[in-house]
Amino acid sequence: MKFHEDLFELLPKLSLAFGPTGCEKRVLDLIKTGLDGVCDCTFDAVGNLICRLPGEKGTSYAFISGVDEVGFMITKIDDKGYLRVESTSSGDPACFLGKKMVAGGDAQLFEGVGAAKVLHTLKGNERTDAPEFERLFIDLGFEKKEELENKIEVGDFAAFKGDYFEMPHDHIVGKALECRANCAILVTLLKLASKLKKEERNDLTVIFAVKEKIGFSGAVTALHRLAPDRAVLLGFEPSCDLDEKDADRKGALLGKGPVLPLKDGRALYYDDPVFFERAKNACGSQFTQILDGSQTLSSSRAHLVLAGVPMISLRLPCHNPETPYVIVNKTDIERTLSKVWSLAVFADDDGRR
Amino acid sequence: MKILKELMLVHGVSGRESRVADKIAEMMTPYVDSITRDALGNLICYKKGSAKNAKKLMLAGHMDEIGFIVTGVDDKGYIRVSSIGGIHYVSAAYSAVRFENGLRGVIVPEGDFNNNFSSSKFVIDIGAKSKKETERRVKVGDFASTVSHVEHLSGEYWAGRPFDDRIGCAIMVRAAMEMKDCKNDAYFVFTTQEEVGCRGSKTASFAVAPDFSLAFDVTGSGDGPKASPMAVSLGKGAAIKVKDSSVICDGGFVRFLDELAKEKKIPAQLEILEGGGTDTCSMQTAGCGSRATALSVPTRYIHSNNETISKKDYDACVALTAALLERDLGKERF
Amino acid sequence: MDYMKILDELRSVPTLSGFEDRGAEDVLKLLSPYFDESRRAGVNCLLFTKKCGKENAPKILIDAHLDELGLIVTDLKDDGLLTVSSLGGMDKRTLTASVFTVHAAKDLRAVSVKKPYLITKDKKLPKYGEFWLFTGLSKTELTDAGVRVGTPVSCQRSTEKLGEGQYYGAYMDDKSCAVAGLIAVDLLRDKPLECDVVLMLSSQEESFGAGFPTGAAAVCPDEILVVDVDLGSTPETDDKDTVKMGEGPSVTVSVQTDRRLTKDLLRIAREKEIPAQTALCVKSTGTNASSSPFLLGGVPTACIGLPLKYMHTTVETLYEKDLINTGKLIAAYIEYRFGGKGGAQQ
C-alpha cells in the first residue's frame, strides 16, 4: 500500500503539539498554517476551526474530528512549586506517574514529570488501587512557589509530552494519535479535494472540533450552526484483541480498519438506512463493520442536533487511546482517507435536501 | 518407573528422611566413590571427575515429603496434628494416612469441611475406641503422611504421590547409572527438610562449596484445567528453570542446558514459576556463590494425593543430566 | 572526572536483576580504568579494587548494587503480544502505556497495552497478566529474534535535567551510588591509605539478594559501607518516612547497622562540613545492609543514602550536589579511618 507522504510528515508534528482539552489553540494554529492557500479557514466563537471547500455535486457534508488530547488543569501551586492537577476528562490515574509532562497556558510551556509519593510509602490499598488525582502532582524542578510567578498559574493546563516513532509492520506510536491521526487525514482530504473543480465534489466543511473529550461539544455547536445534509465523524475504536470476551466489538483490529459501527451507544446510525447503505457502498470493501462502537465517541448528542443530522462514524483501531503512546496502523489511516475521499466525491442523489 | 516407584513408596516426611536415604544409598553405591551423611541427614554421594582440574558440580533433589506430626490425642481418641510443609487440604481431607511405624488411619476435617484450610481443624481417625487405646499406638512427635501410590493413567501420564520430590531423586539415581564418563567432580546430594524451608540444602551447599549447581524438583504447568497461565506443559520436555520465587538462575547455565538439549535432541522447555521455591537458591548463595539452575518435571496438582506427570519429561530430565555430567564444565564457555 | 557522563554511560548498560552478567563486560570496561584491579566474583558481582600497596592490608568494601528493576517474558502469545511478570518490584503505577526494551538477541522496542481505562474505568492498578507488551512483531518473528520465556525487559533509559541542578531518569537506583563510590575513590587518589578500597557492584539486591553475601565472601572485608538511594521527600510523603532533597547524603540509624561506624560517619560529616542527615530505619534499612548482621564472621556495616525522588520509576530524580556530597562523605570517612601517617585505625 502506498502511503501519502505529506500526511505522515504532518502527523508527528500534530501528535507532539500541545493541545489538551480546553487549550487546543496551538494544534489548531498548526493545522490552519498547513491549510494556507488550500481553503478558507476560520475560528468560530468557541474556538473550533471551520474549513470550507464549497462544492456543487449535490450534498453538503461535514467531516469532523476532535483535536484535543487528554490533559489536566492546574488546580494548585504549592509552596515548593509543585503543581496539583485534576483530569479534565476521563484521564486514567494509573497513567501519570513517571510520564514526562508539559505545563503552561497560552504563553511559555515548561517540562517536568508526572509524580506521586514514592512506592515504599504506599500503605494498604494504595498498593493495589489506582491513585486519586488529588494524590498526584507535577514536578517542574522548581524549589519555591515564587519562581513560578508570571510563568504558570492556576487554571493553566498540563498534558503528556509523549513521543512519536514507528514500529514494525507499518505501526506508529505517538501521543494523541487517536484524534490527531484523524486531523491529519482531514487536512490531506482538503488538500486533495481542493484540486478538484466545484462540480466534481460535494460541498465540504471540515470541522476541527475542540473539547471532543468532554462530549464533543465543539462538534455539537458547529453542526448546529452549519446544518449540513450529512455528517461523518472520525473517531477511534480500542482494539478488541485484548479481551476475547468482547464479541460486540469484535473486528476492531489494527490493520483491519477503519471500523464502521452500526450504532454508537444511543446514536443509531442505521436509522437513516439510505445514507448508511450508500455510505457503506462508497466505502468499498476494506473496512470492518461492527455492531456497536464503544462509547468513546460522544456522538449521541451530535446526532440529535437541530432536527437530526444523518451521520456515520469511521473509527481508527488503536491500542492505548488517551495515553502518550497510542498505537495505530498506517494502513488503517490510508484506508480511512480513501473512504472520506469517496464520500466527498460520490453523488448522494436520494433527493433528500 | 521401577526406581521411581520404589522411592515413592518409602515413608519420609521432612525431618525423618533416613529410610529414604537408606534406600537411595543402596541404589547409588555401585556408581559413586563415597557416600556420607551430615548432621541434618543429607545424603552426599561423591563421584570423582575424570577431567583435569575438574569443577565441582552439585546435584540436589530432596528426599522429604509433606506430612503431619502428632501434637496430641483428644478425649475420643482422635489424633491431633500439625502440618509439615504445604499441605493441600482439599486433597488431604478424608485420605488414608500411614504413620512411620506402619499404623494406618484416615485424616478428616472436624465437622463439615467448610474450606477450613488449617491443620488445627483436622484429626486422624485410627479406629480406636478410646484415648487410652490411641495412646498405646501413637505418641506426640510421631510422623504421618497420606498414603503413597503410583497409578498409570494412559500413554505417558502417571499419577500418584509423592512425585515431589522422589522424581528428582530418581532422576539423579538414573543419571548416575547412565553416565558413562563423569567429567566433573559430581556431588549427588539427596537433601532433607526442603519442604520446611530448604534447610538441608543450605548446610550441604556450605560443605560442598560447588562451582555449578543443579537442583531437581517438580514445577507447575499451565495446561491443567483452568490452571494459572504458565508457559510450561506436560510432555514438552525437561523444564529448565529461569526463575522462581526464590532464585533467578544463572543465565549462561540455562542457555547452555537449552543448547545441550537441542544438540542431543532431548525435548526441553524454559520455566518461570510464580510462587514456589526450591533448593536452587541455597546452592546459588552458599559461600562465594555458584552458577545454579534447576531441571524440573512439569507436574499438575502439586502436593495433592495425585500429582500428575508425563514420563516423557522425566526421561528427558534423566537424559539431559547424563549428558551434562559428561561435559567438562571447566572447559565450556558460557 | 565527568561523573554525570559516567553515570549516564553506566545506566545505559542493561544489568537487570538476575541478568547482570549480560552487562558485566561493558561495566568492567567503563570502570576498571579508575582502579588497580577488577574482577567478577560471587553471583554476578563485580569487584573494583584500589590497592594501598601494603601486604595483608585491611579492606573496606563500598557496596552499591548493580542490578535494575524490570520485567521478564513469561509467554509469547499467538497474536504476537508478550506476557510478562516482574523482575524486582516495579511500581505498578508506572506500567500503563509505557515504553520498554526487550533484550533478545537484539534489543526490541515494546509498548505496554491493556484494555483502555476509557472502557473499564478500572479503579485498580493493572496486575501482571492483565497487560501485555506490543512490539508490532508476530510470534514467529519474536521467536526468530531470540525472544524466549525468561527474556529480560527493561524500562526506557535517558538522563534529563529538571530545573537547575536536578537530574532524572531510570535506574538512578543504584548506579548513582556506584558513581558516588567512584567519586570517593577519585577524591582519595593521592591520599596515603593503610587499607585497600573495594567498590563492589552487587547483584540481585532488588530480587533475591544473592549477590551481596557471595560477593562479600569473596572479599572478606573488615568494614562495609552500603550505599543505596534513600527516599526523598516530596508532596504527599511524611517527614518521618523520608529524607530531604538537596541537603546531603543520609546516614542510616538502625538496629541492623554498626553503631560506632554510624556515629563516626555523622561526626566526620560535621567536622568536614559535609551536609548530611540522619535516616531512622529502626528495624530494617531495606538495603543490602539488612543481611549484613549474618555476614561471614561478623563485619561492621553502615548504610549511607543518596536522596532520590520517585524511586523505582523511570523519573528517579537526584540533586547533583547530593551525589557529590555522598562521594565526599565516603572519602572523608575512609581517610579518617584508614588514612596513612596517623590515621585512626586500630
Side-chain angles (χ1 to χ4, degrees):
Chain A
M1 163 169 274
K2 202 178 137 312
F3 297 124
H4 278 80
E5 263 181 46
D6 48 336
L7 195 166
F8 292 102
E9 251 176 49
L10 173 64
L11 188 50
K13 299 195 186 100
L14 287 181
S15 165
L16 298 175
F18 183 80
T21 309
C23 190
E24 301 92 337
K25 190 88 180 350
R26 284 178 180 80
V27 183
L28 293 170
D29 283 342
L30 204 53
I31 292 174
K32 184 163 192 285
T33 317
L35 289 171
D36 252 343
V38 172
C39 61
D40 186 43
C41 302
T42 49
F43 287 102
D44 72 6
V46 297
N48 294 316
L49 183 66
I50 317 281
C51 303
R52 293 272 314 131
L53 258 187
E56 287 161 12
K57 197 137 188 202
T59 323
S60 63
Y61 271 93
F63 292 90
I64 311 168
S65 169
V67 162
D68 49 310
E69 63 191 88
V70 72
F72 318 93
M73 184 175 279
I74 296 165
T75 55
K76 178 175 184 238
I77 301 174
D78 79 6
D79 313 322
K80 292 235 169 75
Y82 290 94
L83 307 177
R84 294 295 183 139
V85 294
E86 179 59 59
S87 169
T88 48
S89 57
S90 58
D92 184 359
C95 181
F96 189 96
L97 173 61
K99 302 283 186 277
K100 290 190 182 154
M101 298 289 189
V102 180
D106 298 316
Q108 196 189 350
L109 292 176
F110 296 87
E111 292 193 5
V113 297
K117 76 170 173 177
V118 66
L119 171 65
H120 307 66
T121 59
L122 294 180
K123 297 190 173 46
N125 288 341
E126 288 176 333
R127 287 189 177 258
T128 48
D129 290 348
E132 312 257 324
F133 271 101
E134 282 158 359
R135 306 273 74 85
L136 302 173
F137 50 94
I138 292 180
D139 184 353
L140 297 176
F142 292 107
E143 292 178 320
K144 287 196 292 291
K145 185 180 192 162
E146 291 70 40
E147 293 174 43
L148 283 121
E149 238 156 84
N150 298 323
K151 293 198 170 89
I152 294 190
E153 55 188 22
V154 168
D156 278 346
F157 298 86
F160 299 115
K161 180 175 177 196
D163 199 354
Y164 182 96
F165 51 86
E166 299 204 354
M167 286 189 95
H169 298 302
D170 299 325
H171 289 96
I172 44 178
V173 177
K175 172 171 77 71
L177 284 182
E178 80 274 359
C179 63
R180 304 285 162 81
N182 290 322
C183 295
I185 287 167
L186 293 180
V187 166
T188 313
L189 171 68
L190 287 167
K191 285 188 181 162
L192 293 172
S194 69
K195 299 205 173 76
L196 297 171
K197 298 206 205 44
K198 280 201 186 151
E199 314 80 69
E200 292 173 317
R201 61 172 186 243
N202 289 310
D203 186 88
L204 306 176
T205 308
V206 171
I207 305 169
F208 294 98
V210 297
K211 302 189 179 171
E212 188 271 323
K213 304 251 180 269
I214 54 165
F216 226 162
S217 62
V220 171
T221 53
L223 285 173
H224 182 103
R225 202 154 17 80
L226 295 164
D229 294 329
R230 306 271 186 271
V232 179
L233 278 67
L234 296 190
F236 65 92
E237 185 67 37
S239 167
C240 69
D241 63 0
L242 300 181
D243 185 353
E244 297 92 39
K245 298 183 234 110
D246 250 330
D248 271 354
R249 291 195 299 113
K250 209 98 193 131
L253 288 172
L254 269 68
K256 295 258 168 30
V259 167
L260 177 64
L262 290 177
K263 70 184 190 75
D264 252 327
R266 278 180 276 187
L268 303 170
Y269 293 137
Y270 55 67
D271 67 359
D272 181 1
V274 179
F275 168 51
F276 189 78
E277 283 309 310
R278 284 177 191 273
K280 254 180 69 180
N281 291 334
C283 285
S285 58
Q286 284 178 313
F287 65 92
T288 309
Q289 182 175 304
I290 62 175
L291 175 63
D292 197 353
S294 61
Q295 288 167 60
T296 57
L297 195 61
S298 331
S299 47
S300 41
R301 283 171 84 165
H303 201 185
L304 302 175
V305 162
L306 302 169
V309 181
M311 62 175 60
I312 60 165
S313 88
L314 285 171
R315 293 154 164 265
L316 209 52
C318 66
H319 281 303
N320 288 346
E322 304 195 344
T323 70
Y325 299 103
V326 184
I327 309 176
V328 295
N329 192 288
K330 283 159 107 170
T331 310
D332 297 330
I333 294 174
E334 277 298 331
R335 289 214 195 106
T336 307
L337 175 62
S338 79
K339 306 212 186 314
V340 295
W341 170 258
S342 305
L343 289 169
V345 300
F346 99 129
D348 175 11
D349 53 359
D350 70 334
R352 205 184 207 253
R353 252 320 203 131
Chain B
M1 292 299 288
K2 181 164 165 295
I3 290 172
L4 180 52
K5 278 190 199 168
E6 262 189 72
L7 290 180
M8 283 168 75
L9 297 174
V10 182
H11 202 264
V13 175
S14 306
R16 291 284 186 276
E17 301 92 343
S18 55
R19 277 173 226 206
V20 186
D22 290 341
K23 184 55 104 161
I24 295 177
E26 216 181 276
M27 291 175 171
M28 290 290 284
T29 307
Y31 304 99
V32 294
D33 299 325
S34 71
I35 299 186
T36 53
R37 294 191 208 206
D38 74 2
L40 256 72
N42 291 308
L43 184 71
I44 304 170
C45 307
Y46 170 63
K47 171 88 183 151
K48 184 155 171 48
S50 63
K52 213 157 150 232
N53 301 320
K55 293 283 177 191
K56 281 199 238 176
L57 171 63
M58 177 171 173
L59 303 116
H62 67 89
M63 297 187 287
D64 59 313
E65 58 184 287
I66 53 175
F68 303 92
I69 186 170
V70 175
T71 56
V73 181
D74 77 4
D75 299 325
K76 291 224 179 93
Y78 294 122
I79 300 168
R80 302 224 70 95
V81 293
S82 181
S83 60
I84 303 274
I87 296 294
H88 191 310
Y89 287 102
V90 170
S91 185
Y94 311 105
S95 296
V97 295
R98 184 182 170 280
F99 285 80
E100 246 185 314
N101 60 17
L103 178 67
R104 298 269 164 170
V106 182
I107 184 159
V108 300
E110 291 180 301
D112 288 333
F113 182 50
N114 277 338
N115 292 326
N116 275 327
F117 298 111
S118 151
S119 56
S120 57
K121 306 272 194 310
F122 279 72
V123 290
I124 296 181
D125 177 355
I126 58 165
K129 295 200 185 61
S130 67
K131 181 173 184 190
K132 259 216 177 69
E133 190 186 334
T134 305
E135 282 172 339
R136 262 185 260 128
R137 295 151 88 186
V138 290
K139 59 183 190 303
V140 169
D142 277 355
F143 283 74
S145 66
T146 55
V147 167
S148 314
H149 69 110
V150 187
E151 324 285 336
H152 185 200
L153 296 180
S154 67
E156 68 209 60
Y157 294 93
W158 293 76
R161 72 163 300 277
F163 281 114
D164 178 8
D165 184 33
R166 303 292 160 75
I167 201 168
C169 298
I171 293 168
M172 287 162 62
V173 170
R174 282 179 62 193
M177 290 173 169
E178 285 183 25
M179 68 185 173
K180 296 182 186 57
D181 174 20
C182 183
K183 289 259 167 46
N184 312 286
D185 281 346
Y187 292 80
F188 294 82
V189 182
F190 298 89
T191 63
T192 61
Q193 299 189 30
E194 188 273 349
E195 298 286 6
V196 291
C198 300
R199 299 175 72 84
S201 56
K202 289 188 168 61
T203 54
S205 311
F206 180 83
V208 172
D211 299 305
F212 296 88
S213 328
L214 196 57
F216 296 87
D217 212 326
V218 298
T219 189
S221 74
D223 61 354
K226 292 212 172 132
S228 291
M230 189 181 171
V232 169
S233 302
L234 264 60
K236 290 241 174 74
I240 304 169
K241 191 186 287 286
V242 175
K243 172 182 184 292
D244 67 25
S245 304
S246 64
V247 68
I248 302 176
C249 300
D250 184 279
F253 200 5
V254 167
R255 261 191 312 274
F256 174 74
L257 285 168
D258 197 27
E259 276 156 23
L260 182 59
K262 278 197 187 65
E263 188 195 307
K264 301 282 183 188
K265 301 212 178 2
I266 301 168
Q269 44 189 325
L270 293 171
E271 170 217 337
I272 291 181
L273 180 64
E274 313 267 8
T278 53
D279 283 340
T280 322
C281 105
S282 310
M283 297 192 285
Q284 189 193 52
T285 55
C288 294
S290 71
R291 303 187 69 175
T293 179
L295 287 182
S296 320
V297 178
T299 307
R300 296 178 193 157
Y301 330 126
I302 294 178
H303 282 194
S304 74
N305 289 341
N306 284 288
E307 297 177 325
T308 302
I309 57 131
S310 158
K311 184 164 185 298
K312 258 176 80 173
D313 302 331
Y314 169 43
D315 291 338
C317 286
V318 175
L320 189 49
T321 309
L324 173 68
L325 288 164
E326 285 163 17
R327 285 294 171 97
D328 182 356
L329 291 172
K331 291 237 169 61
E332 298 287 347
R333 291 267 151 272
F334 55 79
Chain C
M1 168 186 275
D2 189 350
Y3 45 83
M4 288 310 298
K5 180 158 174 283
I6 296 174
L7 178 57
D8 186 57
E9 285 173 353
L10 188 56
R11 289 165 45 253
S12 302
V13 180
T15 50
L16 293 170
S17 205
F19 298 89
E20 302 88 346
D21 53 314
R22 295 183 182 207
E25 279 308 313
D26 287 336
V27 176
L28 283 166
K29 226 183 285 190
L30 182 63
L31 298 181
S32 15
Y34 302 96
F35 295 89
D36 299 314
E37 273 176 23
S38 60
R39 62 183 173 109
R40 299 190 207 211
V43 176
N44 286 339
C45 298
L46 300 177
L47 299 176
F48 299 91
T49 310
K50 171 183 163 26
K51 295 187 96 69
C52 65
K54 306 209 159 50
E55 284 278 321
N56 300 321
K59 292 181 228 157
I60 182 158
L61 180 68
I62 307 170
D63 171 65
H65 71 85
L66 175 63
D67 61 313
E68 307 166 323
L69 300 172
L71 304 170
I72 188 168
V73 174
T74 51
D75 202 2
L76 285 72
K77 287 180 26 160
D78 291 332
D79 58 14
L81 295 177
L82 297 173
T83 320
V84 293
S85 182
S86 73
L87 210 49
M90 289 265 279
D91 190 330
K92 290 211 176 77
R93 298 170 294 172
T94 62
L95 295 175
T96 304
S98 291
V99 179
F100 296 93
T101 308
V102 178
H103 297 290
K106 55 180 178 57
D107 288 347
L108 302 170
R109 185 150 49 177
V111 178
S112 57
V113 296
K114 67 168 195 209
K115 273 197 81 165
Y117 175 76
L118 206 42
I119 297 186
T120 64
K121 299 273 192 275
D122 203 345
K123 293 222 174 341
K124 296 262 178 221
L125 291 173
K127 294 205 207 57
Y128 291 103
E130 288 176 356
F131 70 96
W132 301 269
L133 295 190
F134 174 94
T135 55
L137 298 171
S138 67
K139 183 176 179 178
T140 320
E141 288 169 331
L142 287 166
T143 313
D144 289 342
V147 180
R148 296 274 180 285
V149 168
T151 297
V153 177
S154 66
C155 303
Q156 234 185 348
R157 297 165 190 273
S158 66
T159 311
E160 315 268 348
K161 253 192 126 178
L162 188 68
E164 295 300 313
Q166 297 183 61
Y167 289 88
Y168 73 88
Y171 306 131
M172 288 297 183
D173 176 5
D174 184 39
K175 289 172 168 174
S176 57
C177 294
V179 173
L182 192 64
I183 291 173
V185 167
D186 190 50
L187 289 169
L188 293 167
R189 209 173 346 110
D190 301 319
K191 305 251 160 70
L193 290 179
E194 301 287 318
C195 72
D196 288 347
V197 179
V198 184
L199 175 66
M200 171 161 79
L201 265 49
S202 50
S203 68
Q204 298 194 22
E205 189 274 345
E206 304 282 14
S207 54
F208 304 117
F212 180 74
T214 53
V219 177
C220 285
D222 296 273
E223 286 186 11
I224 300 179
L225 296 175
V226 170
V227 195
D228 208 334
V229 290
D230 206 343
L231 306 180
S233 127
T234 65
E236 297 291 311
T237 58
D238 274 320
D239 283 347
K240 66 172 172 56
D241 296 328
T242 56
V243 293
K244 298 195 176 48
M245 297 298 301
E247 298 190 15
S250 66
V251 178
T252 303
V253 174
S254 164
V255 90
Q256 285 178 335
T257 49
D258 186 85
R259 200 165 137 90
R260 193 264 311 157
L261 236 166
T262 303
K263 280 182 180 283
D264 280 351
L265 280 165
L266 288 166
R267 197 190 66 246
I268 304 281
R270 270 196 308 275
E271 285 172 10
K272 302 285 178 188
E273 293 181 346
I274 302 170
Q277 340 173 32
T278 311
L280 261 171
C281 300
V282 176
K283 290 199 174 75
S284 169
T285 66
T287 65
N288 275 337
S290 295
S291 53
S292 67
F294 294 90
L295 201 56
L296 300 166
V299 185
T301 305
C303 181
I304 298 175
L306 172 57
L308 189 71
K309 291 193 276 192
Y310 323 125
M311 204 186 293
H312 286 193
T313 70
T314 49
V315 295
E316 296 185 327
T317 308
L318 53 71
Y319 272 70
E320 191 180 350
K321 56 185 173 176
D322 287 340
L323 175 63
I324 299 170
N325 283 323
T326 306
K328 279 192 179 158
L329 180 57
I330 297 168
Y333 174 77
I334 295 177
E335 205 188 336
Y336 151 78
R337 182 85 176 85
F338 294 105
K341 304 193 181 77
Q345 75 282 9
Q346 285 135 353

